[in-house]
């Protein structure tokens, strides 16, 4: 008996070609909408590489940029404002990630005085910059600005890799200084390592902040951050921001000292009685104290005067930095 071969259904060539083309179109559309394969290689007017932005905004989607709310102040030199976004157009549940970059200028000791910057005791410092949850900055060379310190700062997702954020900012700062003709002979390198921010600990009453003999009334909690060239200790009477007593800072970072010395209001010794620059065995050293809410409440009820508390701090901290204690 002869068996007739079974025929396999096949698509006509034209239909097959149409199907392949449709798959290619859909694949290309996916790459266009949900990845950065065909995206721009430079962002924010050429100040940021797409590769660096991708390392910070690690979710799915295309990367794009747009002017920030202060973009009208962009001077083509050190001042700029740019928002970088990454979002997937057709992937369910995918949100938009945002990285906000600014080129600004501040008084040289801005990182240690509060204001719109995080408490210094919640920051990991490195040479020429600092990083905390969702926030980082890198200083520009001192020649880049007048009367203040120039910096590039970022507002990033809190779960972003701090080292990646700092790497992006360092590259951006180098490009800003290049376009402003104020770059250092050698581009500023990103730090090899970004130290983690240390959590609060119980304070020892006879040696607050790890300084033997340094006593601060009511202080029960301390947060000490040490980077080698910068040292910061935040003190509190209990947990919570309202319990913050005072933050004490010391830095020998040359970039910070340069920014301080050229800032308007610097007298040669400092800005005021609790923000000073001293000579410590030939190294310029900045000391600062910022009062917190609890200290402000306790002043006049037995708490030491700010100048007296600061003097006690510099005497004990100065011994750790080879400074004359007087």
């Amino acid at each position: 008996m002869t068996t007739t071969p079974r025929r396999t259904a096949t698509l006509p060539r034209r239909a097959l070609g149409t199907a392949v083309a449709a798959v290619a179109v859909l694949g290309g559309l996916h790459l266009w909408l949900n990845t950065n394969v065909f995206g721009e290689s430079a962002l924010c007017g050429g100040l940021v590489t797409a590769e660096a932005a991708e390392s910070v905004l690690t979710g799915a989607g295309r990367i794009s940029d747009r002017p920030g709310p202060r973009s009208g102040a962009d001077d083509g030199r050190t001042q700029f404002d740019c928002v970088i976004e990454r979002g997937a157009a057709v992937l369910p549940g995918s949100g938009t990630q945002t990285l906000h970059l600014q080129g600004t200028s501040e008084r040289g000791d801005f990182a240690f005085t509060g204001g719109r910057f995080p408490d210094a005791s919640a920051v990991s410092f490195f040479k020429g910059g600092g990083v905390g949850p969702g926030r980082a900055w890198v200083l520009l060379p001192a020649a880049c600005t007048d009367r203040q310190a120039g910096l590039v700062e970022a507002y990033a997702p809190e779960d972003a890799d701090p080292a990646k954020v700092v790497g992006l900012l360092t590259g951006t700062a180098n490009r800003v200084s290049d376009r402003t003709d104020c770059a250092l002979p050698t581009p500023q390198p990103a730090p090899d390592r970004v130290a983690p921010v240390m959590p609060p600990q119980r304070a020892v009453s006879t040696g607050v902040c790890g300084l033997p003999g340094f006593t601060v009334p009511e202080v029960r909690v301390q947060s000490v951050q040490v980077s080698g060239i910068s040292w910061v200790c935040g003190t509190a009477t209990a947990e919570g921001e309202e319990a913050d007593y005072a933050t004490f800072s010391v830095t020998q970072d040359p970039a910070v000292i340069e920014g301080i010395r050229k800032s308007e209001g610097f007298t040669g010794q400092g800005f005021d009685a609790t923000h000073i620059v001293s000579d410590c065995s030939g190294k310029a050293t900045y000391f600062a104290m910022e009062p917190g809410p609890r200290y402000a409440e306790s002043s006049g009820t037995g708490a030491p005067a700010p100048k007296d508390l600061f003097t006690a701090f510099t005497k004990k901290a100065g011994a750790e930095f080879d400074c004359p204690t007087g």
Side-chain angles (χ1 to χ4, degrees), residues 107-118:
R107 199 174 87 171
D109 60 345
F110 67 90
F112 306 99
T113 58
R116 66 185 184 86
F117 290 87

Side-chain angles (χ1 to χ4, degrees), residues 6 8 29 37 44 46 59 61 68-69 74 93 97 102 147 171-172 174 180 196 209 211 258 274 313 315 318 326:
R6 181 177 297 176
T8 302
L29 187 61
V37 171
C44 300
D74 191 333
Q97 292 183 303
Q102 291 183 320
R147 298 186 298 280
T172 303
N174 286 331
T180 311
C209 297
L211 301 174
E258 280 189 288
T274 57
F313 160 62
K315 183 175 181 179

